[in-house]
Amino acid sequence: MHGRVKVKTTAQQEEEKRKEREKKLKIYVAARDACFSKRKEGVFDDEALQLTQQLLSANPDFATLWNYRREILMHLETVKDEDEVQKIYEAELSFLESCLKVNPKSYGSWHHRGWVSARLPRPDWARELSLCDRCLSLDDRNFHCWDYRRMVVKMSGVPVKQELEFTDRLIGSNFSNYSSWHYRSTLLPLLHPESPEPPSQCGDPPHSCSPPSPQTHFHRVCEEQLLKEYELVQNAFFTDPNDQSAWFYYRWLLGRAEREEMISCVYVSREEERVAVAFSRPVNAQSGGLLLILDGQPQRVEWQSVHPHFKHSPVWICNLPPGTISDITNEHNLTVHWTEKHTHRDCALYTGRNESWCRDTATDLELFRSELSVEKTSVLQSELQSVNQLQELEPLNKWCLLTIILLMRALDPLGYEKKTLAHFQTLKEVDSMRSAYYSDLCSKFMIENTILKMEYAEVRVFSISDRNLTTLCHLDQLLLVTHINLSSNQLQRLPPQFAMLQCLEVVEADNNSIENLEGVYHLPKLEEVSLKNNKISTLADLQPLASCPKLKRLDLRGNPITQTANVESELAELLPSVTDLLL
């Protein structure tokens, strides 16, 4: 009808869009091919710069084009003077801002901006910080921008205190800003370290006073600041108890700093003529740096990890030449030097003694529990009371329950053991999808408690039966244990780390679900193993026991393997040293 506007059908609109896309694609492909041709021919001119700009404006995630663009810019550096290079790179920064508007999380754009800023003859760091502020105001979890900001801060020498105030502002406007909480955790040890080293005073030029790298700084935060942080984070999780950001930060506050790198124990056995050395972290002793001095003379020994699976291990062993220390009427002095860390530990083997050791206990090292000042104890007690009150209002809040456990462990892990177990049970019911995680974490805490009890009692027996253990950890702390009882738990294996128990004589692991004995490997003193009511089903499962030369007694009653034909004769062949076999 006359006068009526003709409305295009959906099919017509789709066809026009398709033609438009094809047209754009042809232009894009032609420009791309032209770029590739120029790069292949080694052409680094202004036209190539324009072509890459045209393509990257449409698609800023084309890594090959960013590489070509950097090649062009490096070429221009060689033919332009400093002022011209400054203008070229300033224009590049403006172009990059347009790319970030297309995709604020473009890997290529942020990487290229960092590259340009580092090569700019006269960088404007204030402008770059302002750009970061703008980007983070739009998306406070843009980790590309956070990474770039850290680079800018390092290059420009922004004071740590100023950056901490920046996190204050972001957290104040949004408690859920996980990135700000994390950044704060890297800044606090620099500005408020527990050690006597003073915090950085960055009034000097950037190169003489750049902030230390958080990745290489392991100091605890001083107590005064720590107490202030407790108050800050408490405000956050009381505001929104279900937001995980503040709870994660709170868990970091309650944690312990990384352990000092050191030799934690030296053990020497006269009978085996063997030395075992335990470190505070896994190391590779075969790469050199470990020197054994016996009675003032360096020894040529071969250091071995306790299990073939480990190239890095907290425990290393070496065998001395036969006859070196076997005479019980002689006294010997050993020193183990860890040259890489400029530290050593001495150990004396006295006349009439078959073994000796020198070690720092888990209690001495505050490995599982830190000694608290009266003020900090008071504050943590108040924190525990507050979180308990929150838990009454939010009885099903998993973060609240987990934090109560961590606070109780910080205050008195042994005194709060029963309550800790009860809270773990509630956690597994409230957050059933992570029940296995909570079981493993509970196992870890129970093992820590048992190590503390063992050390307080000054015994070498480690008994942790009927505790629903699902995993084993801290086995490097059990180097001197002679008897271990793991019965009536939920263990499925004795892992390779179990081989760190170099003094072990008796293993009780009845009533578990153990299928794998991989860690019962080359234990030189092991005499008895009880594995009643487990899931050992084949001879191969018992193969590691063949490496234990003193094994005399083996109890396999209640295991599937006992139903195998000729099992007794096959076991006698596999384990000829066993004289007491119970099937």
Side-chain angles (χ1 to χ4, degrees):
M1 295 176 64
H2 296 290
R4 179 173 294 182
V5 177
K6 183 178 180 181
V7 178
K8 295 181 180 179
T9 65
T10 302
Q12 288 175 314
Q13 290 174 335
E14 288 298 322
E15 179 63 18
E16 287 182 4
K17 288 179 181 178
R18 186 186 65 79
K19 290 180 178 178
E20 184 66 24
R21 285 195 298 270
E22 284 186 356
K23 182 179 177 182
K24 289 181 179 179
L25 182 59
K26 286 180 180 178
I27 295 172
Y28 185 87
V29 169
R32 181 203 64 189
D33 292 344
C35 276
F36 286 175
S37 296
K38 281 181 172 289
R39 191 186 191 193
K40 189 175 182 179
E41 295 166 6
V43 176
F44 305 112
D45 57 11
D46 289 336
E47 183 185 357
L49 204 62
Q50 290 300 318
L51 278 172
T52 55
Q53 181 169 331
Q54 175 188 338
L55 291 165
L56 290 166
S57 296
N59 175 18
D61 294 306
F62 202 147
T64 303
L65 294 181
W66 286 119
N67 288 338
Y68 183 30
R69 193 167 181 85
R70 282 188 282 275
E71 291 169 3
I72 297 168
L73 291 170
M74 285 190 290
H75 170 72
L76 293 176
E77 284 181 15
T78 64
V79 297
K80 305 282 187 180
D81 61 33
E82 184 178 299
D83 289 338
E84 289 176 310
V85 170
Q86 177 76 16
K87 289 179 181 177
I88 290 171
Y89 278 134
E90 286 177 350
E92 192 72 2
L93 291 174
S94 298
F95 162 59
L96 280 162
E97 285 191 42
S98 67
C99 291
L100 290 173
K101 289 176 182 176
V102 175
N103 180 5
K105 294 185 177 181
S106 166
Y107 284 88
S109 299
W110 284 109
H111 176 71
H112 189 65
R113 191 171 191 93
W115 183 85
V116 169
S117 295
R119 299 181 77 87
L120 200 61
R122 296 183 295 278
D124 184 352
W125 297 118
R127 165 183 167 166
E128 298 308 298
L129 279 176
S130 176
L131 171 73
C132 293
D133 288 346
R134 294 200 309 274
C135 289
L136 292 175
S137 67
L138 297 172
D139 180 1
D140 55 21
R141 294 193 180 194
N142 186 336
F143 68 88
H144 304 274
C145 185
W146 279 106
D147 285 343
Y148 182 68
R149 183 185 184 91
R150 281 188 281 271
M151 187 274 286
V152 171
V153 166
K154 182 178 180 180
M155 297 291 288
S156 60
V158 175
V160 177
K161 184 178 180 182
Q162 183 176 316
E163 283 300 278
L164 194 65
E165 290 169 352
F166 172 70
T167 67
D168 285 338
R169 293 197 301 273
L170 290 189
I171 291 170
S173 62
N174 178 14
F175 278 139
S176 186
N177 192 334
Y178 180 84
S179 298
S180 295
W181 288 112
H182 174 263
Y183 192 30
R184 189 175 186 84
S185 73
T186 67
L187 298 172
L188 280 174
L190 306 181
L191 192 62
H192 301 288
E194 187 182 58
S195 74
E197 297 173 16
S200 301
Q201 300 296 324
C202 289
D204 299 329
H207 293 291
S208 63
C209 191
S210 59
S213 168
Q215 286 74 24
T216 58
H217 197 96
F218 298 130
H219 292 301
R220 292 181 174 93
V221 177
C222 70
E223 184 169 297
E224 181 183 357
Q225 183 62 32
L226 205 56
L227 302 182
K228 293 178 183 177
E229 293 299 305
Y230 288 144
E231 182 179 354
L232 170 67
V233 76
Q234 189 181 107
N235 290 335
F237 60 64
F238 265 88
T239 302
D240 185 359
N242 292 309
D243 184 81
Q244 63 183 357
S245 302
W247 290 111
F248 271 121
Y249 183 69
Y250 197 55
R251 187 168 182 176
W252 174 78
L253 290 174
L254 293 173
R256 292 176 287 271
E258 285 205 14
R259 295 174 61 191
E260 179 186 354
E261 295 181 332
M262 59 185 291
I263 299 172
S264 55
C265 179
V266 172
Y267 168 83
V268 56
S269 168
R270 195 187 294 272
E271 185 178 358
E272 279 85 29
E273 296 193 278
R274 170 177 288 198
V275 176
V277 181
F279 297 85
S280 57
R281 64 169 176 83
V283 302
N284 183 358
Q286 289 179 330
S287 64
L290 204 59
L291 178 63
L292 176 64
I293 307 293
L294 177 64
D295 298 329
Q297 297 298 317
Q299 301 295 305
R300 296 186 64 180
V301 295
E302 182 181 350
W303 293 100
Q304 300 173 321
S305 68
V306 293
H307 197 281
H309 282 193
F310 300 136
K311 288 186 177 179
H312 289 77
S313 172
V315 178
W316 287 81
I317 54 178
C318 73
N319 294 310
L320 296 170
T324 305
I325 58 173
S326 58
D327 188 344
I328 202 166
T329 62
N330 290 334
E331 178 178 316
H332 299 282
N333 293 294
L334 293 92
T335 302
V336 178
H337 289 271
W338 189 11
T339 56
E340 179 187 342
K341 298 300 175 183
H342 306 288
T343 186
H344 71 278
R345 187 171 282 275
D346 301 319
C347 183
L349 180 60
Y350 296 111
T351 301
R353 292 281 300 273
N354 282 318
E355 61 181 2
S356 184
W357 60 84
C358 179
R359 71 177 297 232
D360 292 316
T361 66
T363 308
D364 295 332
L365 296 171
E366 298 186 7
L367 195 57
F368 308 135
R369 181 193 179 189
S370 299
E371 290 299 319
L372 304 176
S373 67
V374 174
E375 182 182 7
K376 189 170 182 180
T377 299
S378 174
V379 170
L380 288 180
Q381 286 284 9
S382 175
E383 291 284 299
L384 180 58
Q385 185 178 356
S386 297
V387 181
N388 274 321
Q389 290 172 355
L390 179 60
Q391 200 258 332
E392 291 175 6
L393 299 172
E394 301 274 347
L396 303 182
N397 187 301
K398 64 179 181 181
W399 302 108
C400 195
L401 287 164
L402 187 56
T403 300
I404 289 172
I405 291 171
L406 296 174
L407 280 165
M408 290 192 299
R409 290 199 63 72
L411 284 162
D412 186 356
L414 298 179
Y416 283 111
E417 185 174 292
K418 287 186 178 179
K419 288 186 178 181
T420 296
L421 289 171
H423 280 307
F424 267 119
Q425 186 57 41
T426 306
L427 262 176
K428 285 187 269 190
E429 295 168 2
V430 168
D431 189 14
S432 58
M433 288 183 65
R434 295 170 183 80
S435 61
Y437 165 73
Y438 297 128
S439 293
D440 286 353
L441 186 60
C442 184
S443 298
K444 175 176 179 286
F445 288 163
M446 290 306 101
I447 288 172
E448 290 176 0
N449 284 3
T450 306
I451 290 174
L452 291 175
K453 292 173 187 176
M454 179 182 69
E455 291 184 349
Y456 294 154
E458 296 184 345
V459 296
R460 296 171 70 183
V461 176
F462 185 80
S463 181
I464 190 167
S465 59
D466 198 20
R467 286 307 187 107
N468 295 315
L469 294 188
T470 55
T471 188
L472 294 175
C473 59
H474 298 306
L475 295 176
D476 57 305
Q477 295 298 311
L478 306 182
L479 171 62
L480 302 178
V481 165
T482 60
H483 188 139
I484 189 167
N485 185 354
L486 303 170
S487 298
S488 302
N489 285 296
Q490 299 174 30
L491 299 172
Q492 297 181 6
R493 62 197 288 255
L494 298 181
Q497 291 85 349
F498 198 80
M500 295 178 191
L501 281 69
Q502 287 289 299
C503 297
L504 198 60
E505 297 173 7
V506 179
V507 176
E508 293 181 69
D510 303 331
N511 305 312
N512 280 281
S513 299
I514 295 173
E515 302 174 341
N516 187 314
L517 300 176
E518 191 177 13
V520 189
Y521 178 81
H522 276 292
L523 297 179
K525 297 176 180 289
L526 186 63
E527 296 182 2
E528 299 182 23
V529 175
S530 183
L531 292 166
K532 287 186 291 187
N533 303 319
N534 278 284
K535 295 184 178 180
I536 305 297
S537 56
T538 68
L539 279 175
D541 297 334
L542 297 170
Q543 183 66 44
L545 295 178
S547 65
C548 302
K550 292 188 177 181
L551 185 62
K552 296 176 183 176
R553 186 176 190 275
L554 177 61
D555 192 340
L556 292 173
R557 287 176 290 179
N559 283 273
I561 192 173
T562 59
Q563 306 303 315
T564 306
N566 303 319
V567 64
E568 191 168 356
S569 60
E570 290 179 351
L571 281 171
E573 184 179 349
L574 176 67
L575 306 170
S577 65
V578 174
T579 56
D580 188 3
L581 178 62
L582 300 175
L583 296 173

